[in-house]
Amino acid sequence: VVAQSRIIKRYLELFVEYYEGRKQVTGPLGVVLLREAFDDVVLKSPQKAEWQSKVQIWQEVRYNSKSFPNVKSPNRGKRRACQFVVVVPSKKKPYEVPFYSRVKGSRMCGGRDTDKKK
């Protein structure tokens, strides 16, 4: 995130709309609002082509050793949420994995709520 990011500014505005009851969201709140902020700023921009040449959207995916043979298993906890990595989608495989999605010891991944059942 860069200082004065228009995407993050729009993201926070959307959160305010949600918490003030002016916006309905179906799905994971942060993910949905971040994508909507991106779309509002980038895809609806007169400089859309310029933005698209500079922006990458990374993706969170569940780890499996066949898809990521050069990446050590996250093994961050028992919960499904702890088995994800962040990838840089490209036409070339295996995908680049810059980091794990959750940190060992974080909420649900060895930390608070690790063994909590729904």
Side-chain angles (χ1 to χ4, degrees):
V1 177
V2 296
Q4 302 172 346
S5 166
R6 289 186 283 164
I7 296 170
I8 296 302
K9 181 178 185 283
R10 181 67 184 133
Y11 180 54
L12 296 173
E13 291 168 351
L14 291 169
F15 263 106
V16 170
E17 290 176 25
Y18 173 80
Y19 285 114
E20 288 180 345
R22 296 182 285 130
K23 177 166 201 51
Q24 297 272 328
V25 174
T26 303
L29 184 63
V31 174
V32 170
L33 294 182
L34 185 56
R35 182 56 197 240
E36 187 173 335
F38 175 85
D39 290 351
D40 286 353
V41 172
V42 176
L43 300 183
K44 296 175 183 174
S45 167
Q47 295 87 21
K48 178 180 173 180
E50 181 185 340
W51 270 94
Q52 289 183 309
S53 69
K54 296 177 182 177
V55 173
Q56 278 187 336
I57 296 181
W58 293 2
Q59 183 177 0
E60 183 182 50
V61 298
R62 191 164 187 193
Y63 172 85
N64 76 61
S65 59
K66 290 181 183 171
S67 295
F68 309 106
N70 301 322
V71 177
K72 185 178 174 186
S73 170
N75 197 17
R76 302 277 185 233
K78 299 174 190 173
R79 305 275 294 266
R80 184 176 186 273
C82 305
Q83 307 303 318
F84 284 78
V85 293
V86 174
V87 302
V88 179
S90 69
K91 294 178 182 169
K92 176 179 91 164
K93 289 188 181 179
Y95 293 142
E96 179 183 349
V97 178
F99 51 86
Y100 298 116
S101 185
R102 306 290 187 291
V103 176
K104 186 172 185 172
S106 64
R107 182 177 175 266
M108 297 192 302
C109 300
R112 184 172 70 102
D113 297 338
T114 297
D115 298 316
K116 190 176 186 179
K117 303 285 185 219
K118 285 189 175 185

